[in-house]
Amino acid sequence: MGNVVHKLTQSEIDQLLSQIQFETTQLPQGMRARTKYQNTTINIYHSGKVMFQGKNAELVAQRMLPNQAISSSSQSKTSTSKQSSIQYNKYNCIGSDEAGSGDYFGPLTVCAAYVSEKNAQVLKTLGVDDSKKLTDDKIVELAEQLITFIPHSLLTLNNVKYNERQKMGWSQVKMKAVLHNEAIKNVVQKIDVDHLDYIVIDQFAKREVYQHYALSELPFPKKTQFETKGESKSLAIAAASIISRYAFVKHMNQITQQIKMEVPKGASNKVDLFAAKIIQKFGLSQLDAISKKHFKNRDKALALIEKKYT
């Protein structure tokens, strides 16, 4: 199935909407309208991006869009990403990455995502990049587009379960290895593996350490690669990173709504002070329910409270 993405102006979107009937209610977040036309699915996003999906995607886009919109979008496709010794974006790849591992508050989220060679160009047009360079708003915008057409598996280890595993002696590396491997296996079940060229994991441990902790075999060991700074080398990893970060951001927003206080990310001194406020207002058990207990921030927060009352 082909995928074509174009960035349109508001007037160009209005022109497209006027040509055929679109659904505009009960849509995924981030999507403005969608329809099925000549065996092609057309999704219009609030970002101004329009995606055509189907065997006739390119032909339908050429028929329905003004030439100016097509030419300006084509220019955006000329950009290149940083390359690895293996040019993963020229292959069909599953990429995996995680979010939240360095944050005291919030869960550990892991995603594996399949990006075909054809969809790699689509992701470039959408603006998929290293999630660390993107704002939370941009992460949400991109993720809500990606999850509509990229085969993926998203796993979330909430703080209660995270702390249970840690108490059982699981290191964070083991947690990540297990989650990465499960997410990858889930995606393998969703695709035609005959077309899979590589599995690329954003490296958090050496291959032998990963295999030791994963609890199950790698689905395709000979096709599996571990890459440092993988987001800059593989759009499959970049997509997985964005979706996992999206899940983390959404979970943090839920915690903020729950306690009616803006929860800081990371593990800085600011986080220590905030954790102390949580203990004072809600108690230590509430703090442990929304954080990773083994981080030093917990002891620092307790020390701040003890200092205040001595």
Side-chain angles (χ1 to χ4, degrees):
M1 182 175 69
N3 289 289
V4 178
V5 176
H6 293 286
K7 173 73 172 178
L8 304 186
T9 65
Q10 184 58 54
S11 62
E12 289 166 346
I13 290 175
D14 291 339
Q15 182 180 343
L16 177 59
L17 288 168
S18 68
Q19 293 183 55
I20 54 175
Q21 187 71 34
F22 279 82
E23 297 176 31
T24 56
T25 59
Q26 296 182 334
L27 301 175
Q29 284 187 315
M31 187 179 291
R32 176 177 174 181
R34 70 180 171 192
T35 192
K36 188 91 170 182
Y37 177 71
Q38 294 186 353
N39 297 318
T40 300
T41 300
I42 307 173
N43 296 325
I44 302 176
Y45 298 97
H46 291 297
S47 63
K49 305 269 178 50
V50 178
M51 178 181 294
F52 296 80
Q53 294 176 283
K55 291 182 179 179
N56 302 321
E58 189 168 351
L59 182 60
V60 172
Q62 289 175 349
R63 288 177 179 174
M64 301 192 69
L65 299 181
N67 291 333
Q68 182 180 355
I70 293 175
S71 62
S72 62
S73 179
S74 296
Q75 291 174 5
S76 69
K77 295 180 181 180
T78 60
S79 63
T80 58
S81 60
K82 296 177 183 177
Q83 295 183 344
S84 168
S85 55
I86 300 174
Q87 297 183 32
Y88 294 109
N89 299 336
K90 294 183 178 180
Y91 296 95
N92 304 316
C93 297
I94 293 174
S96 68
D97 202 358
E98 78 282 335
S101 62
D103 295 85
Y104 174 57
F105 289 105
L108 175 63
T109 59
V110 173
C111 179
Y114 174 72
V115 177
S116 65
E117 180 187 0
K118 291 181 179 178
N119 276 344
Q121 188 60 65
V122 176
L123 265 60
K124 289 181 184 178
T125 305
L126 286 173
V128 171
D129 199 352
D130 187 336
S131 67
K132 298 178 182 65
K133 300 177 183 177
L134 303 174
T135 64
D136 285 351
D137 288 343
K138 188 64 176 178
I139 289 286
V140 171
E141 175 192 313
L142 284 172
E144 289 178 348
Q145 295 174 50
L146 294 175
I147 60 178
T148 65
F149 72 99
I150 293 292
H152 67 281
S153 173
L154 174 64
L155 302 177
T156 299
L157 190 65
N158 65 35
N159 291 112
V160 173
K161 292 181 179 178
Y162 180 102
N163 291 331
E164 287 175 354
R165 298 297 186 280
Q166 201 276 329
K167 189 176 181 180
M168 290 166 56
W170 286 35
S171 67
Q172 194 179 84
V173 171
K174 181 172 182 175
M175 295 181 206
K176 289 196 283 189
V178 170
L179 291 173
H180 274 258
N181 221 43
E182 287 304 308
I184 290 168
K185 290 193 295 183
N186 291 343
V187 175
V188 165
Q189 298 300 315
K190 298 180 180 183
I191 65 172
D192 182 352
V193 294
D194 289 338
H195 295 156
L196 176 63
D197 297 311
Y198 289 105
I199 296 172
V200 200
I201 299 169
D202 192 56
Q203 185 169 326
F204 55 88
K206 292 182 178 180
R207 175 187 286 265
E208 56 270 23
V209 175
Y210 178 99
Q211 291 178 324
H212 174 72
Y213 283 126
L215 297 183
S216 59
E217 295 295 324
L218 290 167
F220 296 96
K222 293 182 180 179
K223 294 183 178 182
T224 302
Q225 302 289 326
F226 292 79
E227 293 283 356
T228 57
K229 299 182 179 178
E231 290 170 277
S232 64
K233 300 172 184 176
S234 165
L235 284 166
I237 290 180
S241 175
I242 287 170
I243 297 172
S244 61
R245 187 69 186 174
Y246 164 77
F248 177 78
V249 168
K250 285 291 187 179
H251 198 102
M252 289 288 277
N253 289 342
Q254 291 175 4
I255 296 174
T256 292
Q257 293 173 5
Q258 174 189 342
I259 65 175
K260 295 180 173 56
M261 297 169 70
E262 187 71 30
V263 183
K265 299 180 179 68
S268 65
N269 292 337
K270 179 181 178 181
V271 172
D272 302 338
L273 292 169
F274 185 82
K277 291 179 182 179
I278 295 294
I279 296 171
Q280 288 181 300
K281 189 170 183 179
F282 301 106
L284 185 59
S285 60
Q286 176 61 60
L287 175 67
D288 291 341
I290 58 175
S291 65
K292 302 175 181 74
K293 287 177 65 174
H294 67 105
F295 274 42
K296 293 181 180 179
N297 302 87
R298 187 179 190 267
D299 292 335
K300 291 178 180 178
L302 289 169
L304 286 170
I305 291 175
E306 183 179 355
K307 183 178 180 181
K308 182 176 180 180
Y309 291 101
T310 55

